[in-house]
Each structure stands twice: as C-alpha cells, then as structure tokens.
Amino acid sequence: MEFFNVDLLDLWRGRLSLRRVGVLVDSLMKKSGRSALLMAMDERASWPESTYLLARVSDALELSNFLFLKANAEKTDDLDLPTPITRPGDPEPEPEPAPVLATGEEVSAFFGQMNAL
C-alpha cells in the first residue's frame, strides 16, 4: 500500500492480518484529499474540495450576472439561463420531452363539454 508502506504479500506470509488490512482500507476511505481507491470507488472524489467550491462560486456569479441583466436590460428575450459547471459523478441531464399538444378536435370536444355544464 502506497500510503502506509505495507506490502500486501505479508498477508499471505502471515505477517499481516485481515483485520489490519481492513483498518488500513477504512483509514484510506477517511483520508482527506484524493486517493486512488476513493477515485476508483466514487468519481466525485477526482475533484478536491476547493475545486467544488470554485465551481459553486462560479455558478453563483453567473446566476447573479444573469439576474442583474434580466432586471436591468431593456431587451432580455435572448438571455438564456446559465448552465452550471458539470461536476464529476453528476448524472447527465435528461432532455426535456417535447410537449404533447391537443388536436383541434380534442379542444373542440373539451369546450363542448364545458358549455354543457
């Protein structure tokens, strides 16, 4: 193991117990920062905490600028809501389904029923 200078072959040589291996793996999971084990188990661990904070600040700043422009600009039709920075491990956003519109006959039948009330 890279962090503890322990040879895992000592487990088979009888110099290392399973309990000790479990304790070492558990301490790796609680280690601050990035580790190869944590990144293999959870993709979100590939970014350090400071990068997540910077992404959050950047998203908040973009949203703040958007809201300022929306409130103070004369023409705001072409302004799009800013997209947040994608983070590792986040699910891909699902595309919004196309709206299902009623046919002319369905609209006519609906208003016909409303008039009958």
Side-chain angles (χ1 to χ4, degrees):
M1 292 189 173
E2 179 182 352
F3 294 103
F4 302 111
N5 295 327
V6 174
D7 188 8
L8 283 179
L9 289 176
D10 286 344
L11 182 63
W12 283 270
R13 294 179 188 137
R15 292 183 249 169
L16 187 64
S17 69
L18 281 175
R19 183 182 183 286
R20 177 75 177 143
V21 171
V23 168
L24 292 175
V25 169
D26 188 46
S27 66
L28 275 178
M29 295 299 290
K30 294 177 183 173
K31 226 171 166 34
S32 63
R34 299 182 301 172
S35 70
L37 175 65
L38 207 54
M39 284 190 295
M41 294 179 70
D42 189 4
E43 188 180 342
R44 294 175 292 176
S46 62
W47 275 14
E49 187 175 347
S50 60
T51 307
Y52 277 105
L53 291 173
L54 284 173
R56 186 170 177 189
V57 167
S58 174
D59 291 343
L61 183 61
E62 285 185 16
L63 182 62
S64 174
N65 288 339
F66 168 78
L67 292 174
F68 177 80
L69 288 174
K70 196 78 166 165
N72 296 314
E74 292 177 12
K75 184 179 177 187
T76 60
D77 298 336
D78 57 344
L79 288 178
D80 293 330
L81 190 66
T83 57
I85 295 174
T86 56
R87 282 119 170 116
D90 283 351
E92 291 293 323
E94 296 180 10
E96 293 184 18
V100 179
L101 302 176
T103 63
E105 293 83 20
E106 291 172 338
V107 172
S108 175
F110 173 76
F111 283 117
Q113 290 174 354
M114 296 302 287
N115 283 336
L117 295 177

